[in-house]
């Protein structure tokens, strides 16, 4: 089982941690988190750990997000195999896997599985092609991704 700490996606709980952000900042945080997650899923597919289903799902979810600025850097970080969390911390999947005593492939498979489960549990996220996007107030939170292990705690002598 993977340890506790930060997650891969920008979730409602992470947004609550920074309530002072302006709406545009929150929108960009959501968009960058989703783009980073897309990049990570692409990395996972390139590693042969998952098929393209999760990527298609993530792209579909991203069309439901409010418009905002460019997210190329966040997506590129993900494609390099690194996760960025709301506080700006970047961790490679390899480091996360090592700390969690698992493999990158297992993390990738867990991400894809959790994305699939989140969509199955939230009808607003299961849009069929060509369907109208839900109203902004009905936009679901990004699905929870597996918890990434925390850096090992240091003990004071």
């Amino acid at each position: 089982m993977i340890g506790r700490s930060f997650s891969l996606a920008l979730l409602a709980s992470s947004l609550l941690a920074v309530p002072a952000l302006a709406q545009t900042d929150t929108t960009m945080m959501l968009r960058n988190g989703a783009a980073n997650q897309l990049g990570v899923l692409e990395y996972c597919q390139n590693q042969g750990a998952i098929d393209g289903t999760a990527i298609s799902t993530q792209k579909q979810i991203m069309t439901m997000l409010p418009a905002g600025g460019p997210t190329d850097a966040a997506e590129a970080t993900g494609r390099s195999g690194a996760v960025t969390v709301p506080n700006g911390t970047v961790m490679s999947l390899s480091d996360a896997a090592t700390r969690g005593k698992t493999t990158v492939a297992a993390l990738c498979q867990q991400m894809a599985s959790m994305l699939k489960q989140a969509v199955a549990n939230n009808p607003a996220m299961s849009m069929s092609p060509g369907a109208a996007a839900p109203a902004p107030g009905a936009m679901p939170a990004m699905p929870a991704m597996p918890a990434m292990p925390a850096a090992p705690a240091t003990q004071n002598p």
Side-chain angles (χ1 to χ4, degrees):
M1 180 56 72
I2 299 172
R4 60 183 172 75
S5 189
F6 54 90
S7 67
L8 293 174
L10 289 174
L11 306 170
S13 61
S14 64
L15 294 177
L16 294 174
V18 256
L21 290 177
Q23 178 61 35
T24 55
D25 292 339
T26 302
T27 297
M28 277 313 299
M29 199 164 80
L30 265 173
R31 290 179 49 75
N32 281 323
N36 179 249
Q37 185 169 309
L38 175 62
V40 168
L41 292 168
E42 290 171 350
Y43 172 86
C44 290
Q45 183 182 28
N46 290 337
Q47 298 298 308
I50 62 171
D51 63 20
T53 305
I55 293 168
S56 297
T57 302
Q58 183 67 17
K59 285 180 180 179
Q60 187 175 1
I61 290 170
M62 289 175 68
T63 66
M64 298 168 63
L65 295 176
T71 56
D72 298 341
E75 191 172 334
T77 298
R79 277 195 305 272
S80 73
V83 177
T84 305
V85 295
N87 69 4
T89 302
V90 176
M91 177 184 275
S92 74
L93 288 179
S94 178
D95 286 346
T98 299
R99 289 180 181 165
K101 296 180 178 37
T102 189
T103 65
V104 170
L107 286 177
C108 290
Q109 291 161 5
Q110 187 178 8
M111 283 185 271
S113 175
M114 292 179 84
L115 183 60
K116 180 179 178 181
Q117 181 179 357
V119 169
N121 292 337
N122 190 336
M125 295 173 79
S126 328
M127 289 178 24
S128 57
M139 176 62 203
M142 293 299 297
M145 288 294 126
M148 302 300 281
T154 56
Q155 296 183 359
N156 294 330

